Each structure stands twice: as structure tokens, then as C-alpha cells.
Amino acid sequence: MIPQRVSLLTIGAYDLPSLRAFYQRLGWEEPATSSDNYASFLTAGVILSLFPIEELAKDAGITFNQDRNSYRPVTFAINVDEPSQVDKIMEQIREIGGTVLREPSDAFWGGRTAYFADPENNLWEVAWNPTAVFDERGGMISY
């Protein structure tokens, strides 16, 4: 049986030091192993890592044919405890140089949501879901 878990998400970075600095400005904690050659950030239940895109392609045995200015077909999400946190986080994203793609708004499914892009156009949703349940570490266990 394959374990039903996601433990590490890696973003292929075109300019790792710059992308790392953006996530540092979010205030996210890095372990001592982070550097401008490989960086990681501790989140609730999943580690987010940044790795040079050329090295990621080599490691996976593939070629990336991606325009660095286009959006990637993956979205990451930060789920929060209160609807007002969506608005506050988006203000912070704007202040640290993220690109707000969709202003906070009430969602058709009953929550509150907004979207931003990091400096390399990775898409992030910030969302409050009224039915979400988090564990003691902040990991989402149900929605």
C-alpha cells in the first residue's frame, strides 16, 4: 500500500535566492539546511522546498519547456482560521512584493478566498473554509 500523504512539495526556481527571499519575507521558518542552492520552509505537515529548475529537471530526467513569465498549472493553498485573515494576509503579500491576482471575496461555496503569485508566478490561494478542521500543528485534516 502506498501511504496516503504529501510530505514535501518542491517548486523549481528560476532564481532561487530571489524566490527564497520572498518566502523569507512571508515570515516562514527555514531549517538550518536552507541555502541559496536549496531552500526549504517548515509548514504545518508539509515541507515546501525550492530547488533550481534546471537541477529539478535533471533530477527528474525531463526537460522543462516553460516560459518563466507564464503561470504554472499548479496552485498551492494557505488555509486560515478566520475570514478576516484572508484580507490581512493579502495586504501583507502586496507589501512584500507578491502580485495580487484576485482580491479577497466571498466564495460561492461559503468561504472567503483570494489569489496571489510569488515572484516566479507560482499561484497561491489564501482561503477560509468554514468547514475546515485543523490538527494541533495547523495541518488541515478535513474540509
Side-chain angles (χ1 to χ4, degrees):
M1 174 185 248
I2 298 172
Q4 187 172 331
R5 71 174 69 119
V6 176
S7 49
L8 180 74
L9 296 173
T10 301
I11 295 174
Y14 292 100
D15 180 352
L16 197 145
S18 176
L19 193 59
R20 178 183 181 208
F22 176 81
Y23 287 95
Q24 289 170 332
R25 289 191 305 271
L26 291 178
W28 287 9
E29 178 186 351
E30 290 180 272
T33 56
S34 278
S35 70
D36 281 344
N37 296 317
Y38 175 80
S40 59
F41 297 87
L42 307 173
T43 68
V46 175
I47 295 174
L48 176 69
S49 70
L50 307 176
F51 194 49
I53 198 163
E54 300 85 9
E55 295 299 317
L56 182 60
K58 189 182 342 176
D59 195 45
I62 61 171
T63 301
F64 281 112
N65 295 319
Q66 171 111 20
D67 174 9
R68 128 182 232 160
N69 295 315
S70 66
Y71 294 108
R72 300 181 191 191
V74 174
T75 302
F76 304 99
I78 300 167
N79 285 270
V80 297
D81 298 314
E82 300 291 332
S84 63
Q85 289 177 289
V86 174
D87 299 69
K88 289 176 186 170
I89 289 171
M90 295 309 285
E91 289 172 19
Q92 293 173 324
I93 294 300
R94 191 176 277 110
E95 289 172 8
I96 65 167
T99 303
V100 175
L101 301 172
R102 179 175 159 198
E103 294 291 340
S105 62
D106 293 334
F108 71 90
W109 43 266
R112 187 152 181 84
T113 187
Y115 281 85
F116 71 91
D118 71 16
E120 294 194 0
N121 289 323
N122 295 294
L123 300 180
W124 285 86
E125 178 187 22
V126 179
W128 169 73
N129 182 333
T131 61
V133 177
F134 299 93
D135 67 16
E136 65 281 351
R137 296 182 322 165
M140 184 184 285
I141 56 175
S142 177
Y143 65 97

